[in-house]
């Protein structure tokens, strides 16, 4: 599988990289090619509870892009990724959930974009990627403080050249303990016509456990009909992509080849993507032609090499 170099165009940029840094950045990708983010799930068997999981999310529900151009209810739409310029100083972050957060420091610039904008409520994710160092910094409920420091609910630092998972039971900036930035639908890869990774999905209810590759659980629901965090869903091969606008077919193709992982609580069948003014909202709305019943859960644990690693067979 050919991986595209990590080029974070169309994102908030904290500065201009020097040529040497750009050359190093070209060797950095969104995690290794042999990791679960890039796994092909077309041949995996259906999960024995697939039908129950899909019913619990909503068989008649519609797929929705939780991102787009412009604003939604007055706020920027989607989750932004800020590119870290060489020489950006690392700063201290104070955490509410300190015991499950990476201490840092974090290379997050003062002008880093916040999900929903600087005045937003909600999740307020901040995602900052340093392509030269191949390191990703992610914060949940992030608020800037005086002097360039931040406070946040939780945070995680990912080495993009490593398949190592977070400690068992730890959250990240996401409920499932996974990266948010890596599985986002990104405009440039969609425009290119090829998305080579799993996507991020939210659902209203989950069981109070988690399955690989997730590392964290939420809530108190115990019903076996509910999917745990980390559940992997695949768009059925019977879905005819030709009836959808050409610009969104790469998204649907990725859902057939790589699938989507339930990573957080939210609205049913909401697909996460980047904030980008170039999205065609009319085309993205066409994703609503996919129903919940067009998905099936798969037994992704069969891909696992080790419970503490994201490497796949």
């Amino acid at each position: 599988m050919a991986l595209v170099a990590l080029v974070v165009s169309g994102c908030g940029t904290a500065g201009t990289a020097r040529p040497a840094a750009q050359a190093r950045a070209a060797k950095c990708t969104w995690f290794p090619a042999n990791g679960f983010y890039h796994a092909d799930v077309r041949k995996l068997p259906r999960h024995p509870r697939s039908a129950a999981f899909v019913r619990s999310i909503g068989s008649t529900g519609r797929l929705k892009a939780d991102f787009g151009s412009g604003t939604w209810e007055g706020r920027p739409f989607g989750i932004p990724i800020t590119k870290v310029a060489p020489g950006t100083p690392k700063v201290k972050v104070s955490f509410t959930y300190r015991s499950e957060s990476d201490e840092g420091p974090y290379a997050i610039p003062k002008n880093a974009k916040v999900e929903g904008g600087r005045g937003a409520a909600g999740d307020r994710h901040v995602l900052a990627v340093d392509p030269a160092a191949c390191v990703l910094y992610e914060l949940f409920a992030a608020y800037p403080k005086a002097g360039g420091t931040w406070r946040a609910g939780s945070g995680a630092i990912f080495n993009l050249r490593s398949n190592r998972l977070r400690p068992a039971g730890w959250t990240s900036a996401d409920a499932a303990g996974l990266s948010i930035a890596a599985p986002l639908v990104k405009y440039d890869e969609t425009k290119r016509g090829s998305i080579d990774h799993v996507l991020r999905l939210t659902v209203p209810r989950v069981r109070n456990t988690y399955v690989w590759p997730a590392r964290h659980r939420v809530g108190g629901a115990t019903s076996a009909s509910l999917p745990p965090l980390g559940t992997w869903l695949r768009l059925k091969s019977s879905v005819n992509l030709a009836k959808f606008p050409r610009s969104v077919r790469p998204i649907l193709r990725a859902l057939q080849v790589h699938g989507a992982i339930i990573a957080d609580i939210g609205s049913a069948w909401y697909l996460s993507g980047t904030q980008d003014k170039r999205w065609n909202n009319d085309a993205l709305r066409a994703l609503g032609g996919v129903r919940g019943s067009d998905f099936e859960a798969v037994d992704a644990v069969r891909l696992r090499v080790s419970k503490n690693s994201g490497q796949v067979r």
Side-chain angles (χ1 to χ4, degrees):
M1 176 185 302
L3 285 182
V4 177
L6 176 55
V7 179
V8 196
S9 57
C11 305
T13 303
T16 303
R18 291 184 289 271
Q22 290 175 333
R24 291 194 299 272
K27 300 176 182 178
C28 183
T29 61
W30 294 106
F31 293 100
N34 65 346
F36 75 88
Y37 285 101
H38 305 285
D40 187 328
V41 300
R42 283 175 291 184
K43 295 182 179 180
L44 288 181
R46 290 176 74 248
H47 193 284
R49 294 197 180 103
S50 175
F53 288 169
V54 169
R55 283 196 300 269
S56 75
I57 303 169
S59 300
T60 61
R62 304 275 185 167
L63 184 65
K64 179 175 175 57
D66 194 20
F67 57 94
S69 63
T71 61
W72 178 259
E73 296 182 346
R75 298 292 184 186
F77 198 20
I79 304 179
I81 303 174
T82 296
K83 184 178 178 180
V84 177
T88 297
K90 294 182 179 180
V91 298
K92 181 180 179 181
V93 181
S94 57
F95 294 107
T96 303
Y97 304 105
R98 182 178 178 183
S99 64
E100 295 180 19
S101 297
D102 292 325
E103 184 176 358
Y106 286 66
I108 297 180
K110 294 180 181 180
N111 64 342
K113 288 190 175 182
V114 178
E115 180 186 10
R118 287 289 178 124
D123 287 346
R124 291 185 58 93
H125 289 118
V126 168
L127 314 178
V129 62
D130 183 344
C134 211
V135 175
L136 174 64
Y137 304 89
E138 300 191 345
L139 300 177
F140 160 71
Y143 291 84
K145 297 173 64 178
T149 62
W150 293 76
R151 64 179 174 88
S154 57
I157 301 174
F158 296 95
N159 177 355
L160 292 174
R161 294 191 175 98
S162 172
N163 279 319
R164 184 177 181 180
L165 298 177
R166 293 180 65 68
W170 279 34
T171 187
S172 58
D174 214 359
L178 303 174
S179 164
I180 296 174
L184 290 180
V185 180
K186 304 170 184 71
Y187 178 83
D188 288 319
E189 59 192 11
T190 306
K191 176 72 173 178
R192 189 172 57 244
S194 176
I195 300 175
D196 68 351
H197 58 79
V198 69
L199 303 183
R200 179 183 186 266
L201 194 72
T202 65
V203 301
R205 297 184 301 155
V206 294
R207 190 179 178 188
N208 67 336
T209 186
Y210 63 90
V211 294
W212 182 92
R215 306 299 278 171
H216 185 252
R217 65 185 178 92
V218 295
T222 59
S223 173
S225 66
L226 295 175
L229 287 176
T231 297
W232 212 307
L233 294 156
R234 174 180 63 200
L235 185 64
K236 294 177 180 176
S237 60
S238 58
V239 175
N240 180 11
L241 306 191
K243 66 180 183 180
F244 293 91
R246 187 178 299 275
S247 61
V248 300
R249 290 178 198 170
I251 301 174
L252 298 173
R253 178 63 175 166
L255 288 170
Q256 289 181 330
V257 176
H258 303 289
I261 292 178
I262 297 176
D264 203 354
I265 301 295
S267 297
W269 305 114
Y270 270 40
L271 202 59
S272 303
T274 56
Q275 175 187 315
D276 198 304
K277 64 183 180 181
R278 297 172 294 175
W279 289 118
N280 182 323
N281 290 339
D282 289 335
L284 291 175
R285 277 192 284 270
L287 294 174
V290 174
R291 293 181 180 270
S293 56
D294 292 321
F295 286 91
E296 56 192 354
V298 297
D299 185 5
V301 176
R302 296 188 178 214
L303 295 171
R304 188 179 70 186
V305 172
S306 167
K307 64 180 181 180
N308 294 319
S309 171
Q311 184 179 345
V312 296
R313 301 184 189 280

